[in-house]
Amino acid sequence: MAIQQPINGQIGKNGVRQSEGALSPNIADTQQNHYLAPDRVIPVIFIPGIMGSNLRMTAERQQQLSKKNNVAWNPDKLKEAGSLIFADAAERQLTLDPSATVVDLYDPKSNPTGDPKESAASRHGNVKPGKTTHLSQEDARQRGWGEVMFSSYGQMLNTCESLLNRMFTNGKLQPGWKDIVDADPKAWQAASSLPKLTEADLKQASKGCWFPVHAFGYNWLQSNGDSAKLIAKRIHDLISGYQKHSRCEKVIIVTHSMGGLVGRALAHPSYGNLQDKILGIVHGVMPATGAPAAYRRMLAGFESGNMVEKAVLGSSGPDVMAVLGNAPGGLQLLPSVSYGTNWLHIISTHGQTLKQLPQSDPYEEIYSRSDVWWGMLREEWINPAGQDRAGAQFTRQHLKSAKHFHQALTGCYHPNSYAHYGCDAKRKAFQKVVWEVKSSKPIANPDSLQILHDSGKGNLQLQHPQAKPSGGMYPESIAAFIRDPSDPGDQTVPMRSADDQLNSGKFKGIFRQTGYEHQASYKDKNALASTLYSIVQIARQMEWEGA
């Protein structure tokens, strides 16, 4: 009996479907079976979260910082990412400057690494395609896999590429699908009753269809609306490229965290205007209406549960504000009006509520304020590098733009959307931010207190405005600190924000899950299973012209 040798097809650099085998002598009893990619193509495009896309800086900024290469942000390169751990706020601001950075795209021709000794392939050497994907490292680089934080997203990219493009072998279901097909979606914590995925469903979705998995990075420092416009052009180009040799009409978008805001903007007529080219979107751990943690981080740095961000972007307010206070994208993570009111609490040690905000407009009531101790804007922290187009007035302008962006996206979800996110009582998140004020005397007007000392880590020493120093000491020093998070979520996004997707009534499926931390969500088996389920259900809605 002849030995069966499968030869998997690929799409060549010229877009032609092809497979390669080898001639053998007549004595060799080997039968080569060549599998060519189907004629129909639905690209699956992954859009990462904040800090999930690798960035490079301009040649001018590289020279200013005396760097041997132009890496601005690449968490998979520990040496490069680690260099920011010891950087001061000014260096962080210059390195992660939205006006001096772009996505570090794979471009072997021009080799834009800023270092003649470093090739584009080496820069994107973080890519490690799994054996079951049948992708070479070069193929994966061409798909954009090296643009994103592979340590967080590589497992998801490999799993989707492998399972979506090999659902059956010789008519038999591949082992990777056995825990998904015919399983009750409640097993992955579906929020409502959803239909099981059957073998027939997989056959319908995959009939004559190929699902190449791509990753599109974006400059997470810049506005998510601007990022959507740039990615929309890349999607148009991608579809046009596949159309040269295949039938390709729509794409499926998969997002993580802030990438969900980019994905929603892709389908919005004011930004990406791709509503007719997107078959559906799968959102993962999206801060749908923002996250109060963004306010906390501006004033106190990143929490202990976010080790990469804490080490690199900063464990203190001055470090974080020097970067995200100048970043339109980062400011768009703040709670929007849609998040609701009264999420910022000021209480006394004895539990007395002294103040709750916002009453209606957080941009004016909280984010733009520098005249009260609990206001987000610390003008002295924003521009340590002394840049011309940075400072409080520019940050306030970015906040106005964030408000406009939030208003545009309010209630705006693609009609064929699915989502999964963390609702874990053990993974505490900031649904509200609570300032606790310690004073031996009642405080009639908390707004009148003035900052005597700010640690930059959520601990303040306050004083009454009429307090007079005596012997070098201020009487009646009042302590204030930010309490730890106490509400369900994924350690970053609170359930209250993510649940806007459920409450919208616009989603085909919602999975409210437990067991994972925000950044590592796509390494969780339930998150992966619900993602694959959602992609297939979206693909089943495709109506091919002439079919």
Side-chain angles (χ1 to χ4, degrees), residues 43-82:
V44 175
I45 299 172
F46 175 68
I47 302 176
I50 188 171
M51 295 180 283
S53 303
N54 300 330
L55 305 178
R56 64 174 183 257
M57 63 183 68
T58 62
E60 294 77 15
R61 187 55 52 85
Q62 179 187 350
Q63 183 178 17
Q64 182 181 356
L65 292 172
S66 300
K67 282 179 59 70
K68 68 175 184 179
N69 60 33
N70 60 15
V71 171
W73 174 252
N74 189 326
D76 289 332
K77 291 185 176 294
L78 296 180
K79 185 177 180 180
E80 294 292 344

Side-chain angles (χ1 to χ4, degrees), residues 168-468:
F168 299 92
T169 300
N170 297 325
K172 294 184 178 180
L173 187 69
Q174 281 286 87
W177 285 100
K178 291 186 183 284
D179 291 334
I180 300 175
V181 170
D182 289 329
D184 187 342
K186 292 279 188 183
W188 321 310
Q189 298 173 288
S192 61
S193 179
L194 294 174
K196 294 180 180 180
L197 198 63
T198 66
E199 284 196 29
D201 293 332
L202 257 65
K203 289 177 180 178
Q204 176 197 344
S206 63
K207 183 178 180 181
C209 193
W210 179 43
F211 301 93
V213 177
H214 293 256
F216 282 1
Y218 60 97
N219 190 338
W220 40 271
L221 297 165
Q222 296 175 350
S223 168
N224 292 302
D226 291 341
S227 294
K229 294 175 183 178
L230 293 173
I231 289 181
K233 183 181 184 306
R234 292 184 69 181
I235 291 175
H236 275 298
D237 292 343
L238 183 71
I239 291 175
S240 297
Y242 279 117
Q243 285 177 338
K244 292 178 181 178
H245 303 282
S246 305
R247 298 177 64 188
C248 182
E249 300 169 14
K250 296 177 182 287
V251 301
I252 295 173
I253 304 294
V254 178
T255 75
H256 180 253
S257 189
M258 190 170 84
L261 304 184
V262 178
R264 290 164 66 187
L266 276 172
H268 195 285
S270 297
Y271 300 105
N273 198 29
L274 275 188
Q275 55 270 36
D276 295 332
K277 297 296 182 182
I278 296 174
L279 183 59
I281 302 181
V282 181
H283 289 297
V285 297
M286 177 171 58
T289 58
Y295 163 87
R296 189 265 184 199
R297 292 168 182 176
M298 289 287 191
L299 295 177
F302 278 79
E303 314 90 271
S304 58
N306 299 273
M307 297 311 294
V308 174
E309 300 96 326
K310 181 178 180 179
V312 178
L313 285 189
S315 59
S316 71
D319 285 342
V320 174
M321 191 166 290
V323 176
L324 298 185
N326 295 296
L331 295 171
Q332 288 168 354
L333 288 178
L334 290 163
S336 67
V337 170
S338 297
Y339 185 84
T341 59
N342 299 332
W343 56 261
L344 179 60
H345 294 199
I346 301 171
I347 67 171
S348 72
T349 305
H350 305 293
Q352 176 191 5
T353 299
L354 303 176
K355 197 176 187 71
Q356 290 187 4
L357 291 165
Q359 296 179 4
S360 60
D361 186 340
Y363 313 92
E364 294 295 328
E365 295 176 43
I366 302 172
Y367 310 146
S368 295
R369 295 197 66 174
S370 58
D371 60 327
V372 286
W373 60 270
W374 45 261
M376 191 187 76
L377 218 54
R378 296 283 195 269
E379 297 193 12
E380 66 275 20
W381 294 354
I382 294 173
N383 191 19
Q387 293 292 91
D388 289 339
R389 296 191 61 79
Q393 70 273 30
F394 292 99
T395 300
R396 288 190 174 98
Q397 191 58 49
H398 295 327
L399 287 167
K400 290 180 180 178
S401 298
K403 180 179 181 179
H404 177 77
F405 179 76
H406 288 156
Q407 288 173 332
L409 257 60
T410 297
C412 179
Y413 295 106
H414 190 280
N416 198 13
S417 289
Y418 288 77
H420 60 270
Y421 51 86
C423 294
D424 195 335
K426 296 180 180 179
R427 302 279 183 174
K428 304 295 186 184
F430 285 101
Q431 177 172 302
K432 57 185 177 295
V433 175
V434 180
W435 281 101
E436 181 176 329
V437 180
K438 292 184 176 182
S439 175
S440 60
K441 298 179 180 179
I443 299 173
N445 181 13
D447 291 3
S448 68
L449 299 176
Q450 297 175 345
I451 297 175
L452 182 62
H453 175 71
D454 188 341
S455 71
K457 297 189 177 184
N459 290 284
L460 304 177
Q461 288 296 322
L462 306 173
Q463 65 177 4
H464 289 289
Q466 67 273 19
K468 303 292 184 182

Side-chain angles (χ1 to χ4, degrees), residues 56 103-109 112 119-122 124 137-138 141-144 146-147:
R56 64 174 183 257
V103 180
D104 198 1
L105 301 175
Y106 180 59
D107 185 357
K109 290 185 178 179
S119 68
S122 176
H124 289 250
Q137 191 174 34
E138 176 64 18
R141 292 188 191 112
Q142 295 285 354
R143 297 265 194 92
E147 298 175 24

